[in-house]
């Protein structure tokens, strides 16, 4: 599967999009009940409290997780399209974090699903993938615009540190 998707150009660095430097809104696709959601929200609040964080809930484990992740991307796409039609695109997120904490190979297998890869590649916003811990690598990581080694690192990657930013003046 990896070779076939790579041959289609889905993992090419040329298609990767840059991240905005100070996003006003970030969408986070993850489970609402896991510690990952709280960790990401805490890191974003500490580093850049001006950013609004939008949870797009999905399942991140189990047989129905891939479809749940794809539905989350689709819901987000529809919402951003609606904001665009209403002339309220300034309220839309500028990037999306896809996140899940570590686990066994089986726990993370949803992020190797072709439907998830295609949802990432087809998403209108840059995607940062923070799935697993350090050594875990999935096809979602290859498809994302940016791979982070952990969910918390994904949050750190997408916003500046307010103390460093203020110190630069």
């Amino acid at each position: 599967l990896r070779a076939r998707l790579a041959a289609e150009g889905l993992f090419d660095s040329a298609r990767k999009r840059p991240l905005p430097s100070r996003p006003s809104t970030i969408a986070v696709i993850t489970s609402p009940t896991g510690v990952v959601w709280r960790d990401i929200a805490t890191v974003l609040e500490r580093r850049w409290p001006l950013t609004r964080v939008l949870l797009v809930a999905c399942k991140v484990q189990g047989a129905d997780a891939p479809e749940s992740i794809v539905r989350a991307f689709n819901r987000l796409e529809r919402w951003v399209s609606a904001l665009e039609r209403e002339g309220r695109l300034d309220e839309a997120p500028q990037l999306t974090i896809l996140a899940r904490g570590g686990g066994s190979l089986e726990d993370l297998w949803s992020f190797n699903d072709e439907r998830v890869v295609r949802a990432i590649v087809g998403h209108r916003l840059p995607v940062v993938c923070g799935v697993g811990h350090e050594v875990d690598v999935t096809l979602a990581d290859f498809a994302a615009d940016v791979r982070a080694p952990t969910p918390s690192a994904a949050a750190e990657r997408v916003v500046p540190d307010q103390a460093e930013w203020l110190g630069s003046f």
Side-chain angles (χ1 to χ4, degrees):
L1 179 60
R2 179 180 174 189
R4 182 168 53 80
L5 296 175
E8 288 183 41
L10 300 185
F11 305 146
D12 289 352
S13 59
R15 59 154 290 282
K16 308 286 181 170
R17 298 162 291 191
L19 302 180
S21 60
R22 292 185 308 274
S24 60
T25 305
I26 297 171
V28 179
I29 297 178
T30 193
S31 169
T33 60
V35 70
V36 166
W37 164 240
R38 289 188 301 277
D39 287 351
I40 288 173
T42 299
V43 169
L44 293 173
E45 173 66 24
R46 176 179 42 84
R47 288 180 60 87
W48 197 252
L50 300 174
T51 298
R52 188 173 79 163
V53 185
L54 171 71
L55 171 65
V56 185
C58 69
K59 294 180 181 181
V60 293
Q61 184 175 326
D64 52 350
E67 184 59 34
S68 182
I69 295 166
V70 170
R71 281 194 314 267
F73 273 106
N74 291 339
R75 282 193 317 274
L76 182 55
E77 289 284 342
R78 285 192 306 272
W79 184 65
V80 172
S81 293
L83 289 174
E84 188 174 42
R85 282 191 306 275
E86 296 168 7
R88 299 170 39 210
L89 204 50
D90 58 320
E91 297 175 37
Q94 288 83 46
L95 67 96
T96 300
I97 296 173
L98 173 62
R100 187 220 188 274
S104 69
L105 177 63
E106 293 80 15
D107 292 341
L108 302 178
W109 199 253
S110 300
F111 298 92
N112 287 318
D113 189 283
E114 182 174 355
R115 295 167 294 176
V116 172
V117 169
R118 292 190 184 282
I120 292 168
V121 172
H123 193 47
R124 71 167 56 208
L125 305 173
V127 176
V128 177
C129 188
V131 171
H133 291 294
E134 303 288 335
V135 297
D136 299 319
V137 180
T138 67
L139 295 180
D141 290 307
F142 294 118
D145 297 287
V146 174
R147 177 196 180 266
T150 66
S152 294
E156 289 176 355
R157 184 81 186 262
V158 299
V159 293
D161 183 311
Q162 65 178 333
E164 289 177 14
W165 190 77
L166 289 170
S168 68
F169 289 99

